[in-house]
Amino acid sequence: MNGKQKTLVALGILFFACVVIWAVRTVPEAPKIDHSDDDQPRIMSYDNNTISEEKDGRKIWELTSETMTVDVDTKDVELTGLSGKFYEEDGRVVSVTADHGSYKSDTKDIQVDGDVTIDTTDGAALTCGKLLWTEAEGKLTAAEDACIQQDDMQARADRIESTNGFHHFKAIGKAHIVKGAK
């Protein structure tokens, strides 16, 4: 091989090396995926919707709301402008209305707050700032200036608890009970 051929081969190898280096350096970067929204909850919203729970074929409760938001991942629910019913085993129905409520899917607990008003089909009435349904205990708790009126009795307390729709209840904290009141 003469000097001219060696020079052409060297230039060819150099050209090939430059093309390879250019191809490697100009490969576009993969697009960066923005994971900043991954920490945000995925929410679905509904207007005028109802949720309920049944146990052994019997409806335990149902809640209807003006607006409802559901966390897709946790199945937790937030409700505004709600009304609902809790169905007792003895056939009585406890009706509730409130400004706001929430349902925790993992515990099946419900919290209702904001101008809570409760009426039962046997004539009892209750008002409070917050109402809690604890599924594990089957207990309703009225808190924040709870007041109940049943037959000829009226009771006020920091907290009023019941496991049977306030047919029988326990007044806790600063309590005042009047018998013979209408």
Side-chain angles (χ1 to χ4, degrees), residues 32-64:
K32 294 182 181 178
I33 298 172
D34 183 12
H35 293 285
S36 62
D37 289 344
D38 291 351
D39 295 338
Q40 301 296 325
R42 298 182 307 157
I43 303 292
M44 294 188 316
S45 296
Y46 303 95
D47 290 333
N48 300 316
N49 203 357
T50 300
I51 60 173
S52 63
E53 181 173 348
E54 290 186 12
K55 189 174 191 178
D56 300 327
R58 184 179 70 84
K59 190 177 279 191
I60 305 295
W61 56 264
E62 67 182 355
L63 291 174
T64 302

Side-chain angles (χ1 to χ4, degrees), residues 28-175:
E29 288 185 32
K32 294 182 181 178
I33 298 172
D34 183 12
H35 293 285
S36 62
D37 289 344
D38 291 351
D39 295 338
Q40 301 296 325
R42 298 182 307 157
I43 303 292
M44 294 188 316
S45 296
Y46 303 95
D47 290 333
N48 300 316
N49 203 357
T50 300
I51 60 173
S52 63
E53 181 173 348
E54 290 186 12
K55 189 174 191 178
D56 300 327
R58 184 179 70 84
K59 190 177 279 191
I60 305 295
W61 56 264
E62 67 182 355
L63 291 174
T64 302
S65 66
E66 293 172 7
T67 58
M68 177 185 303
T69 57
V70 180
D71 186 312
V72 174
D73 300 316
T74 65
K75 308 292 187 253
D76 291 346
V77 179
E78 292 287 323
L79 309 142
T80 56
L82 67 96
S83 62
K85 295 180 189 277
F86 292 82
Y87 300 95
E88 298 301 320
E89 289 184 17
D90 64 2
R92 290 180 310 115
V93 178
V94 178
S95 300
V96 60
T97 60
D99 297 334
H100 174 262
S102 61
Y103 169 75
K104 294 290 184 187
S105 178
D106 57 346
T107 61
K108 298 184 180 179
D109 292 348
I110 300 169
Q111 177 176 314
V112 180
D113 53 64
D115 197 23
V116 180
T117 304
I118 299 167
D119 295 302
T120 65
T121 53
D122 63 355
L126 180 131
T127 58
C128 61
K130 185 186 299 183
L131 179 70
L132 307 165
W133 166 254
T134 309
E135 172 68 21
E137 301 172 42
K139 178 171 63 174
L140 281 166
T141 302
E144 298 179 5
D145 195 29
C147 178
I148 188 167
Q149 186 158 353
Q150 245 177 17
D151 300 323
D152 67 341
M153 183 276 314
Q154 183 178 32
R156 288 190 175 276
D158 293 333
R159 196 168 80 222
I160 298 174
E161 296 179 350
S162 176
T163 56
N164 60 8
F166 297 105
H167 187 67
H168 293 87
F169 63 89
K170 180 177 10 175
I172 300 168
K174 189 174 157 183

